[in-house]
């Protein structure tokens, strides 16, 4: 097995890990009880999934075709820039339109700030 | 600091000329520049000013902290998702940050959203209070606090 084949194998493993992560995050979006916990799954796991599969593709193209794809790097960069912002805005909008937290939530420091009249 | 950059360029120029090649090569100039970075890094305390690439170094450091935290958080999240008995206690807690300015606060909020068990839900208008939703407030609050202070320190090194 030559070096380039080994690195290709590494790239394949990285892409596989990425797809596993995206399956897990899809599970999370279905399984978790409310919007806020779902946004954890949506922001973190799926960012990691996209990161892993894009960097796997980057490594593969680099080794097998000697092609450094700047677009893949830009893709990673923009996912990192946009995923947290969208997660933040979704949870913020959900809280402001009074979506309830799940039942066994313990602490809610935001309530007295945003809705002081509901006490 | 511009003096250090000029000195670095000068070292690179000297390096290219002392190599005495048949033609002027850009790659030799760049390797000279890298050697110059090394020399200036070793000597910068004698100038009495800070190393001019310190900011770059601390950005790289921040990147590494971020990647390690991201790996930990995705492991934690997938463990929590796949746990068949889901009995965590989510909740919202506040954190008062010492960072100031749009850039620092935005960076901290983004990094926090991507790392262990926390999504920033709201920043107050003054921009110094974060409302953070945690997946499991009893267990992971300490972890979240630890990584917040780590990030804060690293961001301050970049911007100040």
């Amino acid at each position: 097995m030559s070096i380039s084949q080994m690195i290709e194998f590494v790239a394949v493993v990285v892409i596989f890990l990425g797809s596993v992560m995206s399956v897990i995050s899809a599970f999370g979006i279905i399984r978790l009880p409310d919007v806020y916990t779902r946004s954890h799954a949506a922001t973190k796991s799926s960012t990691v999934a996209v990161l892993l599969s894009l960097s796997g593709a980057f490594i593969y193209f680099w080794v097998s075709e000697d092609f450094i794809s700047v677009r893949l790097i830009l893709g990673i960069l923009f996912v990192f820039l946009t995923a947290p912002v969208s997660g933040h805005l979704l949870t913020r909008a959900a809280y402001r339109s009074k979506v309830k937290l799940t039942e066994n939530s313990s602490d809610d420091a935001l309530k007295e700030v945003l809705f002081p009249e509901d006490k | 600091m511009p003096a250090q950059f000029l000195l670095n360029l000068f070292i690179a120029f000297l390096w290219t000329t002392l190599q005495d090649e048949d033609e002027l090569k850009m790659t030799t100039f760049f390797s000279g520049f890298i050697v110059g970075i090394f020399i200036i890094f070793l000597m910068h305390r004698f100038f009495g000013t800070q190393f001019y690439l310190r900011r770059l170094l601390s950005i790289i450091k921040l990147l590494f902290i971020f990647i390690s935290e991201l790996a930990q958080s995705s492991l934690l999240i997938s463990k929590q998702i796949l746990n068949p008995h889901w009995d965590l206690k989510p909740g919202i807690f506040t954190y008062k940050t010492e960072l100031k300015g749009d850039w620092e606060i935005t960076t901290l909020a983004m990094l926090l959203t991507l790392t262990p068990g926390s999504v920033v839900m709201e920043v107050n208008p003054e921009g110094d209070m974060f409302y953070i939703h945690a997946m499991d407030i009893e267990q992971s609050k300490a972890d979240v606090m630890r990584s917040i202070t780590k990030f804060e320190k690293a961001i301050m090194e970049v911007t100040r």
Side-chain angles (χ1 to χ4, degrees), chain B residues 35-104:
Chain B
V35 170
I37 289 175
F38 249 126
I39 293 172
I40 291 175
F41 180 70
L42 292 178
M43 308 289 261
H44 75 274
R45 60 200 180 96
F46 298 115
F47 297 125
T49 50
Q50 274 176 330
F51 184 48
Y52 79 107
L53 290 177
R54 185 190 61 101
R55 209 164 258 195
L56 190 73
L57 284 180
S58 39
I59 287 175
I60 293 170
K61 199 175 138 203
L62 180 64
L63 205 71
F64 273 104
I65 293 176
F66 170 65
I67 289 174
S68 76
E69 294 282 323
L70 184 69
Q72 283 173 32
S73 82
S74 59
L75 270 182
L76 186 80
I77 278 288
S78 40
K79 220 190 282 169
Q80 286 171 345
I81 288 170
L82 296 178
N83 181 10
H85 312 288
W86 200 85
D87 55 349
L88 304 173
K89 281 192 170 33
I92 301 169
F93 66 94
T94 57
Y95 179 73
K96 196 160 171 50
T97 176
E98 293 161 24
L99 297 177
K100 287 187 185 68
D102 290 348
W103 274 103
E104 293 180 9

Side-chain angles (χ1 to χ4, degrees), chain B residues 7-156:
Chain B
L7 189 62
N8 200 347
L9 278 182
F10 182 64
I11 291 171
F13 178 70
L14 269 186
W15 181 269
T16 19
T17 43
L18 289 178
Q19 289 284 324
D20 208 14
E21 287 166 337
D22 297 335
E23 50 184 323
L24 211 61
K25 280 185 195 150
M26 215 51 203
T27 47
T28 326
F29 189 78
F30 270 116
S31 52
F33 198 82
I34 290 167
V35 170
I37 289 175
F38 249 126
I39 293 172
I40 291 175
F41 180 70
L42 292 178
M43 308 289 261
H44 75 274
R45 60 200 180 96
F46 298 115
F47 297 125
T49 50
Q50 274 176 330
F51 184 48
Y52 79 107
L53 290 177
R54 185 190 61 101
R55 209 164 258 195
L56 190 73
L57 284 180
S58 39
I59 287 175
I60 293 170
K61 199 175 138 203
L62 180 64
L63 205 71
F64 273 104
I65 293 176
F66 170 65
I67 289 174
S68 76
E69 294 282 323
L70 184 69
Q72 283 173 32
S73 82
S74 59
L75 270 182
L76 186 80
I77 278 288
S78 40
K79 220 190 282 169
Q80 286 171 345
I81 288 170
L82 296 178
N83 181 10
H85 312 288
W86 200 85
D87 55 349
L88 304 173
K89 281 192 170 33
I92 301 169
F93 66 94
T94 57
Y95 179 73
K96 196 160 171 50
T97 176
E98 293 161 24
L99 297 177
K100 287 187 185 68
D102 290 348
W103 274 103
E104 293 180 9
I105 287 170
T106 316
T107 321
L108 184 64
M110 275 182 59
L111 293 179
L112 281 184
T113 306
L114 284 173
T115 47
S118 56
V119 170
V120 177
M121 290 182 63
E122 208 46 78
V123 181
N124 74 345
E126 290 81 44
D128 57 354
M129 192 74 106
F130 282 15
Y131 297 90
I132 300 169
H133 184 271
M135 189 76 141
D136 188 4
I137 201 159
E138 279 154 15
Q139 279 178 27
S140 67
K141 194 174 172 184
D143 282 355
V144 174
M145 284 301 188
R146 182 187 52 80
S147 60
I148 291 177
T149 42
K150 225 196 245 174
F151 279 136
E152 241 178 9
K153 237 186 259 162
I155 291 174
M156 266 190 217

Side-chain angles (χ1 to χ4, degrees), chain A residues 31-79:
Chain A
R31 215 183 143 219
L32 294 176
D34 66 348
V35 186
Y36 310 106
T37 43
R38 279 175 186 167
S39 76
H40 283 266
T43 52
K44 285 185 255 295
S45 314
S46 53
T47 319
V48 175
V50 173
L51 168 76
L52 284 176
S53 29
L54 284 186
S55 43
F58 178 77
I59 295 171
Y60 178 78
F61 280 124
W62 191 7
V63 172
S64 74
E65 308 196 359
D66 250 349
F67 171 65
I68 294 184
S69 171
V70 183
R71 269 182 232 173
L72 285 176
I73 296 179
L74 275 183
I76 293 173
L77 189 74
F78 278 107
V79 166

Side-chain angles (χ1 to χ4, degrees), chain A:
Chain A
M1 214 156 146
S2 67
I3 296 279
S4 74
Q5 267 175 322
M6 268 154 70
I7 298 178
E8 266 174 37
F9 187 72
V10 169
V12 168
V13 169
V14 169
I15 295 175
F16 176 71
L17 278 180
S19 44
V20 169
M21 281 309 292
S22 74
V23 168
I24 289 176
S25 97
F27 267 139
I29 291 173
I30 297 170
R31 215 183 143 219
L32 294 176
D34 66 348
V35 186
Y36 310 106
T37 43
R38 279 175 186 167
S39 76
H40 283 266
T43 52
K44 285 185 255 295
S45 314
S46 53
T47 319
V48 175
V50 173
L51 168 76
L52 284 176
S53 29
L54 284 186
S55 43
F58 178 77
I59 295 171
Y60 178 78
F61 280 124
W62 191 7
V63 172
S64 74
E65 308 196 359
D66 250 349
F67 171 65
I68 294 184
S69 171
V70 183
R71 269 182 232 173
L72 285 176
I73 296 179
L74 275 183
I76 293 173
L77 189 74
F78 278 107
V79 166
F80 270 113
L81 281 181
T82 50
V85 175
S86 63
H88 168 68
L89 284 180
L90 280 176
T91 48
R92 191 185 141 109
Y95 200 90
R96 294 195 167 216
S97 45
K98 303 189 182 179
V99 177
K100 285 202 174 57
L101 276 85
T102 164
E103 273 151 26
N104 55 357
S105 300
S106 56
D107 220 358
D108 191 351
L110 245 186
K111 190 162 185 180
E112 56 219 54
V113 183
L114 281 185
F115 308 118
E117 70 276 8
D118 285 357
K119 261 187 200 168

